[in-house]
Amino acid sequence: VFIALAISAMLLAFPLLSDRPLLSLQRVLFPFQAMLIEKINPQSRGYAVVQIPADLHAALQQTLNLDARRRYFGGSNEKIEDYIIYGRTSRVAMSIELKQRAASAMLLLLEDFCACELQEDAAVHGIRIYHRGARLVEHLDWPDRWVVSATINVHQNGSQWPLTLREGPGLWGGEPPISVAHSPGQAVLYEGSRLWHGRP
């Protein structure tokens, strides 16, 4: 019992020594999460690439192009989700109306994808611009909030920057990652609390 308690204390103390303690804590806990959460839709691969409604894509593009002054810096551990981002990114403010519109449209696509009923209070984070050299660290989403997730390609400069997805216990092994490319106007739908995902 003493040895087990000592090991547990070491595992929990380790993240506190890191420059990104929350990310380090996830690396300790998430392998268990990946093993415990079952596949939502047995008929699915766990991800899908879909076309989003053209009017929603147009509205997102318009918001992106409106005014550079509406963009604000993020990344490098600044905001609550930015502990998983390295490098320079920018955020673009979205109106409440557009967030609600995006949530309604994506809810239909996500429910069709998972063959399940989802809560209607979806979280829409907004538009993030990844500047050259930025990367999204491989991670799992928190299971109490993001069981299925979607990432939309609003616009891209240059070549594709695929989302990587993989199954397994993370640092302790598992399947090799697969790269999933999606073009502007497309979204990747995926089981975010079960599949490791990132953009290296």
Side-chain angles (χ1 to χ4, degrees), residues 4-197:
L5 289 174
I7 291 173
S8 298
M10 287 173 59
L11 287 174
L12 292 175
F14 167 71
L16 300 177
L17 304 176
S18 168
D19 64 330
R20 299 195 181 200
L22 191 52
L23 177 60
S24 296
L25 181 63
Q26 284 188 337
R27 290 187 182 281
V28 171
L29 298 178
F30 277 9
F32 297 104
Q33 176 180 316
M35 291 185 288
L36 291 172
I37 293 182
E38 295 182 359
K39 200 170 189 178
I40 297 171
N41 182 357
Q43 308 303 318
S44 157
R45 298 174 295 179
Y47 71 92
V49 178
V50 300
Q51 199 75 29
I52 68 170
D55 59 334
L56 174 60
H57 184 215
L60 291 171
Q61 283 183 308
Q62 184 179 20
T63 298
L64 177 63
N65 297 329
L66 269 179
D67 189 344
R69 290 173 297 180
R70 297 181 64 188
R71 301 177 184 181
Y72 55 96
F73 176 74
S76 297
N77 215 19
E78 182 185 306
K79 303 290 183 184
I80 187 168
E81 76 275 18
D82 289 344
Y83 63 91
I84 54 176
I85 293 172
Y86 283 84
R88 187 168 179 272
T89 69
S90 301
R91 299 291 296 272
V92 180
M94 288 175 62
S95 68
I96 294 175
E97 179 187 4
L98 182 54
K99 282 189 174 185
Q100 291 173 340
R101 185 174 164 189
S104 297
M106 297 309 297
L107 180 66
L108 298 174
L109 294 172
L110 285 164
E111 286 188 332
D112 185 59
F113 159 70
C114 70
C116 63
E117 185 176 349
L118 300 171
Q119 294 178 334
E120 295 187 6
D121 59 337
V124 178
H125 289 292
I127 300 173
R128 182 187 291 276
I129 302 168
Y130 288 85
H131 298 277
R132 186 174 298 277
R135 62 188 175 93
L136 178 65
V137 176
E138 186 181 65
H139 65 285
L140 295 177
D141 294 335
W142 297 105
D144 62 329
R145 190 68 179 125
W146 296 286
V147 178
V148 291
S149 306
T151 178
I152 299 171
N153 184 341
V154 177
H155 177 79
Q156 70 184 43
N157 291 328
S159 59
Q160 291 273 4
W161 190 32
L163 182 73
T164 61
L165 296 167
R166 70 184 177 94
E167 296 188 60
L171 296 178
W172 304 345
E175 298 294 324
I178 59 169
S179 294
V180 182
H182 56 132
S183 302
Q186 293 182 326
V188 181
L189 315 181
Y190 56 98
E191 297 181 22
S193 60
R194 187 180 68 84
L195 295 177
W196 293 88
H197 53 280

